[in-house]
């Protein structure tokens, strides 16, 4: 929403009326305005949303304030007397905002004054109108004795030429109403376009279009004769009326486009703090890339790049209410983590990083009424969940308007400036220049260590940052409130209604967490390569069903900062069922999703790097196997008998196996000491087929042993 302030002038391009903003309600929803030119004007109710929309679409335009009042010290006694008398008549009326703007209530108050103090109704309305139209200051009631020429109103042209006489023989002409219409058409046609023609060019085209005397042709060539000097306006007159007719805002919007104007040329009006009632009225959120390179907590040799820093700031107090450091974003997932942190207990959060604080050090653990951030991050189904589930209004900054989050963006600069001298791997201004250091190679900090540093900075900032340009209201001045975030927050909690709301932390997290699909498999609930289980899945035999039938998808939510658990959507009162990592997935415990995905990517890259070498080894394996098989076939073909029937070869498999087993056992048996070697060892030629068919297994083995003993005794 565009920032608006009381007393600003808004021009309605559709009816050429100019309105002054008289009052804006605390919720920044409604306002009262008045037509500054009409002598019969009364305050009118207008929606802030409608004004903002009109400004954004170009139907409305902000004008520079025209209040040019005299100093009280310059007034005559008579002027001061009249001013003070008028102020005495309407002071109590105008201070009764917003009731005085409501027609019925205003009428009753004026009637009451008229009967009690014998003021006339026309006089009261005259002074009220003068006060509102003139900028709501007491000096707007000064009588306009010197305004006989109707300052600010165009004068009608007479017969006599106005202005300083010309130095030559020509007299010139006055600019008439018809001429001003020509000026206006010319400027719109030739100057207020994206072609960016000059005013001089537009003037010359006007002369060609409207001030031609005759057209003649000589030898087929066209010649245009313009009117004499006393019949055409001068360039100076043209420029004068252009400057009087068109304000710079309109010109830039027409020539450069609305987005360019909003980005580069708009007036910086109003105050972010003015938009808020107290702590929690409005949070601003934004992200930036940290100027430091980090290393992985898995392997210190891995440089993982620069982190994304998210800050959530309460506009009223400037307190940092939430933060998130990670590699997610800028995106909804990262913004979600920052909002969740803003609503979480900070004592518990800091403790998880080994930092012990009391609740007073970082007291914010609430949801705001409004969150304002970038369009990209605050669009999508997650925002709908946030709005519908937690009743938070979400405002997007328009394209090319990062200044709407000026408070939080200034904080990024403060953060980087404070901590940069201490950080290894911090990017200096000479990064990328020839001969400069490669700051990536100096990286030493992990994501967790860097987060600890930022937490310490936030604690310091909230307590000690002195906001020099903070405009304290009367109550703050009376209570001598120190303009630091923590003190402004505490004072606001005690003295301003605010919009802070407490919601169960599990509910907040559930509606904030990113949502995705997981797969139920026979090995567990699979998500991003990790396996989980939960009580519901076990009770309902999900994994057995998945093995017997097939896998299926389920809706889950997850916290990217810690993947120990995911949350299964149950569509019941409990909203979710927590699923935990299986024991053999311990390598993922306590890790953020960025590190897990980094690990998975590194492992995949490592495999790809070794894939060719593995293929090479497999090719060699296959070649060795083929060589062994080929040699075995050759030997078997040479030694196998050709005349043994197939039935005979397959009939004695069991006996043959037992013989082979005995021979293998004797060969593999342990022999301690150094046995005497037998120099007469010979191979026993033994063919099972030579045995009688009725030979038992026992006699077969016995005969085998006898043969071996006989060979040894020779």
């Amino acid at each position: 929403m565009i920032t608006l302030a009381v007393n600003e002038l808004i021009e309605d391009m559709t009816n050429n009326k100019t309105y002054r903003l008289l009052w804006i309600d605390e919720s920044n929803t409604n306002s009262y305005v008045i037509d500054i030119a009409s002598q019969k004007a009364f305050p009118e109710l207008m929606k802030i949303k409608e004004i903002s929309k009109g400004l954004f679409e170009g139907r409305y335009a902000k004008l520079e304030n025209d209040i040019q009042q005299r100093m009280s010290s310059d007034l005559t006694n008579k002027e001061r007397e009249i001013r003070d008398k008028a102020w005495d008549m309407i002071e109590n009326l105008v201070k009764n905002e917003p009731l005085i703007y409501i027609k019925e209530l205003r009428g009753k108050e004026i009637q009451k004054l008229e009967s009690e103090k014998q003021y006339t109704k026309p006089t009261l309305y005259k002074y009220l109108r003068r006060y509102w139209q003139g900028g709501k200051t007491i000096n707007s009631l000064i009588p306009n004795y010197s305004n006989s020429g109707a300052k600010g109103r165009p004068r009608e042209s007479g017969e006599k030429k106005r202005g300083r006489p010309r130095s030559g023989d020509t007299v010139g002409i006055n600019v008439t109403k018809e001429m001003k219409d020509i000026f206006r058409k010319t400027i719109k046609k030739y100057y207020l376009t994206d072609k960016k023609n000059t005013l001089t060019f537009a003037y010359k085209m006007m002369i060609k279009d409207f001030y031609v005397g005759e057209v003649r042709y000589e030898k087929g060539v066209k010649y245009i004769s313009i009117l004499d000097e006393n019949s055409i306006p001068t360039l100076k007159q043209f420029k004068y009326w252009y400057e009087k007719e068109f304000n710079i805002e309109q010109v830039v919007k027409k020539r450069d486009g609305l987005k360019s104007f909003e980005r580069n040329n708009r007036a910086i009006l109003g105050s972010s703090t003015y938009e808020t009632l107290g702590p929690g009225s409005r949070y601003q959120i934004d992200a930036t890339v940290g100027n430091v390179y980090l290393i992985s907590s898995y392997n210190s040799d891995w440089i993982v790049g620069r982190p994304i820093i998210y800050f959530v700031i309460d506009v009223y107090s400037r307190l940092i209410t939430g933060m998130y450091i990670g590699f997610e974003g800028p995106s909804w997932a990262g913004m979600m983590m920052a909002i969740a942190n803003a609503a979480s207990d900070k004592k518990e959060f800091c403790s998880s990083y080994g930092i012990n604080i009391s609740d007073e050090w970082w007291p914010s653990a609430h949801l705001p009424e409004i969150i304002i951030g970038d369009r990209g991050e605050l669009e999508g189904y997650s925002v709908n969940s946030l709005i519908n589930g937690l009743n938070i209004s979400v405002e997007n900054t328009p394209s090319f308007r990062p200044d709407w989050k000026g408070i939080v963006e200034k904080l990024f600069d403060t953060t980087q400036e404070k901590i940069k001298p201490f950080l290894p791997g911090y990017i200096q201004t000479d990064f990328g220049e020839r001969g400069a250091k490669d700051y990536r190679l100096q990286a030493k900090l992990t994501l967790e260590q860097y987060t600890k540093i930022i937490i310490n900075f936030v604690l310091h900032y909230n307590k000690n940052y002195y906001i020099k340009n903070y405009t304290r209201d009367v109550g703050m001045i009376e209570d001598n409130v120190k303009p630091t975030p923590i003190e402004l927050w505490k004072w606001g909690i005690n003295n301003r209604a605010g919009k802070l709301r407490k919601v169960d932390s599990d509910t907040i997290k559930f509606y904030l967490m990113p949502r995705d699909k997981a797969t139920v498999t026979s090995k567990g609930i699979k998500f991003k390569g990790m396996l989980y289980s939960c009580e519901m899945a076990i009770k309902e035999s999900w994994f057995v069903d998945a093995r017997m039938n097939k896998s299926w998808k389920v809706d889950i939510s997850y916290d990217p900062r810690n993947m120990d658990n995911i949350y299964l959507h149950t569509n019941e009162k409990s909203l979710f069922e927590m699923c935990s990592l299986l024991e053999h997935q311990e390598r993922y415990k306590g890790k953020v999703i960025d590190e897990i995905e980094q690990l998975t990517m590194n492992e995949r890259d490592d495999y790809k790097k070794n894939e060719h070498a593995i293929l090479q080894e497999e090719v060699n394996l296959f070649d060795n196997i083929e060589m062994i098989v080929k040699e075995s076939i050759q030997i078997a073909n040479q030694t196998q008998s050709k005349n043994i029937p197939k039935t005979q070869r397959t009939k004695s498999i069991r006996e043959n196996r037992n013989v082979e087993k005995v021979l293998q056992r004797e060969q593999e048996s342990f022999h301690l000491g150094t046995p005497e070697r037998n120099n007469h060892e010979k191979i026993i030629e033994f063919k099972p087929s030579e045995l009688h068919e009725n030979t038992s297994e026992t006699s077969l083995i016995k005969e085998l042993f006898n043969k071996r003993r006989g060979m040894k005794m020779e």
Side-chain angles (χ1 to χ4, degrees), residues 451-463:
T451 302
K452 286 182 181 180
I453 292 172
I454 298 299
I455 290 174
N456 278 280
F457 166 79
V458 170
L459 294 172
H460 172 82
Y461 168 90
N462 283 344
K463 181 182 178 182

Side-chain angles (χ1 to χ4, degrees), residues 243-255:
E243 292 170 358
K244 193 174 184 68
E245 180 77 13
F246 295 91
N247 65 65
I248 188 64
E249 183 171 330
Q250 292 174 275
V251 173
V252 175
K253 285 180 180 178
K254 292 291 185 180
R255 288 168 64 86

Side-chain angles (χ1 to χ4, degrees), residues 53 84 142 145-146 207 253 307 313-314 321 339 342 347 366 450 460 478 515 567 581-582 642 690:
K53 185 179 180 182
D84 293 345
I142 299 170
Y145 292 145
S146 60
I207 300 300
K253 285 180 180 178
I313 291 188
D314 175 58
T321 58
I339 297 173
K347 183 177 179 180
H366 312 81
Y450 183 70
H460 172 82
E478 290 177 351
R515 303 181 175 199
Y567 303 90
L581 273 171
L582 297 177
K642 309 296 184 183
E690 295 177 357

Side-chain angles (χ1 to χ4, degrees), residues 204-265:
K204 293 176 180 177
M205 293 302 294
M206 178 189 69
I207 300 300
K208 181 184 77 70
D209 291 344
F210 296 100
Y211 295 98
V212 173
E214 63 174 355
V215 178
R216 69 179 187 278
Y217 291 85
E218 295 180 4
K219 298 180 181 180
V221 179
K222 181 180 179 181
Y223 288 94
I224 297 176
S225 296
I226 64 175
L227 299 177
D228 63 75
E229 292 179 79
N230 291 317
S231 302
I232 63 174
T234 64
L235 175 60
K236 187 175 181 179
Q237 287 175 314
F238 179 72
K239 288 184 176 181
Y240 172 82
W241 285 104
Y242 153 73
E243 292 170 358
K244 193 174 184 68
E245 180 77 13
F246 295 91
N247 65 65
I248 188 64
E249 183 171 330
Q250 292 174 275
V251 173
V252 175
K253 285 180 180 178
K254 292 291 185 180
R255 288 168 64 86
D256 298 337
L258 178 61
K259 290 183 176 179
S260 176
F261 171 81
E262 293 290 354
R263 182 175 65 246
N264 301 318
N265 303 98

Side-chain angles (χ1 to χ4, degrees), residues 273 276-280 314 316-319 360 363 462 470-498 500:
T273 309
T276 64
L277 176 65
D314 175 58
Y316 178 83
S317 64
R318 308 295 199 272
L319 187 85
E360 292 75 20
N462 283 344
Y470 190 93
T471 305
R472 297 182 299 168
D473 61 24
V474 175
M476 291 179 181
I477 296 172
E478 290 177 351
D479 292 341
N480 195 27
V481 179
K482 185 180 178 181
T484 60
I486 196 77
E487 295 301 323
L488 293 170
W489 174 276
K490 291 177 181 177
W491 191 89
I493 293 295
N494 294 327
N495 296 275
R496 293 288 181 266
L500 293 173

Side-chain angles (χ1 to χ4, degrees), residues 606-657:
D606 287 343
Y607 173 76
K608 287 183 178 180
K609 290 177 183 178
N610 292 285
E611 191 174 13
H612 185 75
I614 293 172
L615 178 62
Q616 178 67 56
E617 294 297 328
E618 286 184 341
V619 170
N620 288 326
L621 169 66
F622 298 158
D623 185 63
N624 290 335
I625 293 173
E626 285 183 334
M627 289 178 61
I628 294 171
V629 171
K630 183 178 180 180
E631 184 179 356
S632 300
I633 292 173
Q634 290 178 348
I635 294 174
N637 288 338
Q638 292 174 0
T639 58
Q640 286 178 336
S641 301
K642 309 296 184 183
N643 54 356
I644 300 177
K646 294 180 180 179
T647 55
Q648 184 66 31
R649 291 191 63 193
T650 58
K651 188 176 182 180
S652 304
I653 290 178
R654 184 175 180 183
E655 290 83 354
N656 296 342
R657 177 184 177 85

Side-chain angles (χ1 to χ4, degrees), residues 274-289:
Y274 181 80
E275 303 169 4
T276 64
L277 176 65
S281 292
R282 180 179 269 106
Y283 281 0
Q284 289 185 356
I285 185 170
D286 200 11
T288 192
V289 181

